[in-house]
Amino acid sequence: MRARTRTPQAACPQCAMVSRRGDSSHERRVCDTAVGGQETVLHLRVRRFRCGNDDCGKRTFAEQVPGLTVRYGRYSTPLRTLLQTIGLA
Ligand SMILES: [Zn+2]
């Protein structure tokens, strides 16, 4: 599945300052829970923002989709939770 975000702003993960200054975008590949028994891979286009806080060490950061993605994560949050549950059982 292909998807893209439309959020006009995102909070810097380091200083929490909200930024509306989009810098660029890139596509992430995120494995999600199966649909109809079939493997699901999201080709998710997310934006990169510039942090406006001069005192912050982070110049740019990629937006995350709450409840779906985490930084550097290749699995969606629901799939990661499912795999952890199976692993612990
Ligand atoms: Zn920042």
Side-chain angles (χ1 to χ4, degrees), residues 12 14-17 51 53 56 58:
C12 172
Q14 189 161 313
C15 70
M17 177 178 272
C51 181
N53 182 356
C56 180
K58 224 170 208 358

Side-chain angles (χ1 to χ4, degrees), residues 21-80:
R21 296 167 49 197
D23 192 45
S24 62
S25 67
H26 68 279
E27 187 173 286
R28 291 182 64 178
R29 191 169 174 267
V30 180
C31 295
D32 198 8
T33 51
V35 174
Q38 299 295 310
E39 177 185 22
T40 304
V41 178
L42 302 173
H43 293 265
L44 182 63
R45 182 156 290 279
V46 295
R47 293 174 62 193
R48 178 164 287 279
F49 289 88
R50 287 192 175 278
C51 181
N53 182 356
D54 293 335
D55 297 329
C56 180
K58 224 170 208 358
R59 318 243 337 143
T60 65
F61 60 92
E63 68 178 323
Q64 302 299 325
V65 180
L68 184 66
T69 64
V70 293
R71 195 171 173 210
Y72 300 121
R74 293 183 182 189
Y75 298 142
S76 69
T77 301
L79 179 58
R80 200 164 1 94

